[in-house]
Amino acid sequence: MGFLETTYFQGELLIPNLNAFAGSSAVNNVMAAQQKLLDIFISKYEKKFLTELLGRDLYEKLVEETCNTANILPQWETLKNKLFNENEWISPAANYVYYWYMLNSASSTSGVGEVRTLANNAELASPLPKIIRAWNEMVGMNKEFEEWIICNNFYGYKHTDSDLFYKLNVFGI
C-alpha cells in the first residue's frame, strides 16, 4: 500500500510528461511510460523512506492502521497527515522519490553504457541544483516531523542517525 500519488509531483517536484494533454497515441504512450516509471520509483522509494524515517515496526504499524480507510484511529490519521499533506500535496516522501527519480533520469542506460540525450533547440543544464533543493527541503520536513513525533511520544519512536536528516550541497561536501 502506498500513500503517494502523481498529484504530489507538481510545482518544484514536477515530473515531465505526466500531465500532458492527451490526444495522439504517441503522447498517450509517453504519458503511460512516465506513469509506469514513476509508479516503480514510488513503490520502491516510498517504502524505503518511511522505513528509514519511522523504523520498520512503526512503518508496518502505520500501514496496518491506515489500510482500512473507514476505521482509521485519529492518532494514525494525524501521523499519516503529518507525512502526507493532501491539502497542499506536500510530503517529504515525495521529495525523496523525486530525488531518486531525477538522479535516475539524468542519463539513460544503453547498450554502450550510460548516455545523455541531446535536445534540439535546447541547452542542457545540470539537474543537481533542483535535486539538491528537493533533498534539503525534505530534510527540513523530516526534522519538523521528528520534533512533532518526539513531543507526542508517538508509539515509542526513536531517532535514527539517518542520511534523511543531513543536507546536501552541489559540491558533495
Side-chain angles (χ1 to χ4, degrees):
M1 172 189 159
F3 299 102
L4 287 176
E5 55 187 81
T6 57
T7 314
Y8 283 94
F9 299 95
Q10 57 186 333
E12 290 183 348
L13 300 183
L14 181 68
I15 302 287
N17 303 318
L18 282 181
N19 299 315
F21 293 106
S24 72
S25 62
V27 170
N28 290 340
N29 289 343
V30 168
M31 288 172 49
Q34 286 296 96
Q35 181 65 57
K36 175 85 172 147
L37 183 59
L38 180 58
D39 289 344
I40 290 167
F41 272 78
I42 288 172
S43 178
K44 177 179 182 179
Y45 289 106
E46 178 184 313
K47 180 179 180 179
K48 187 175 188 303
F49 170 80
L50 290 171
T51 302
E52 195 170 330
L53 180 68
L54 300 174
R56 181 158 310 280
D57 291 344
L58 185 52
Y59 165 70
E60 289 175 356
K61 189 74 173 161
L62 173 66
V63 171
E64 175 187 323
E65 293 291 334
T66 58
C67 69
N68 183 355
T69 56
N71 297 321
I72 299 176
L73 295 173
Q75 65 266 29
W76 293 102
E77 183 74 24
T78 301
L79 178 66
K80 181 182 86 80
N81 292 338
K82 288 286 183 188
L83 291 168
F84 301 93
N85 180 335
E86 293 179 353
N87 293 322
E88 297 177 26
W89 300 108
I90 295 172
S91 170
N95 286 57
Y96 187 78
V97 170
Y98 176 85
Y99 173 85
W100 289 107
Y101 182 94
M102 293 305 288
L103 274 182
N104 181 70
S105 297
S107 66
S108 298
T109 305
S110 75
V112 295
E114 289 298 301
V115 296
R116 195 180 310 175
T117 306
L118 291 176
N120 291 333
N121 300 320
E123 187 176 322
L124 288 177
S126 173
L128 282 179
K130 276 186 163 182
I131 293 170
I132 290 171
R133 183 174 58 240
W135 179 274
N136 290 342
E137 186 177 272
M138 175 208 63
V139 168
M141 288 187 272
N142 291 346
K143 288 179 178 180
E144 286 178 27
F145 171 77
E146 185 179 58
E147 198 174 293
W148 172 83
I149 200 169
I150 287 172
C151 285
N152 288 283
N153 195 25
F154 196 94
Y155 200 73
Y157 171 83
K158 291 181 178 59
H159 171 75
T160 58
D161 191 29
S162 164
D163 288 343
L164 298 177
F165 294 98
Y166 295 99
K167 290 188 174 190
L168 300 175
N169 64 47
V170 292
F171 305 111
I173 54 174

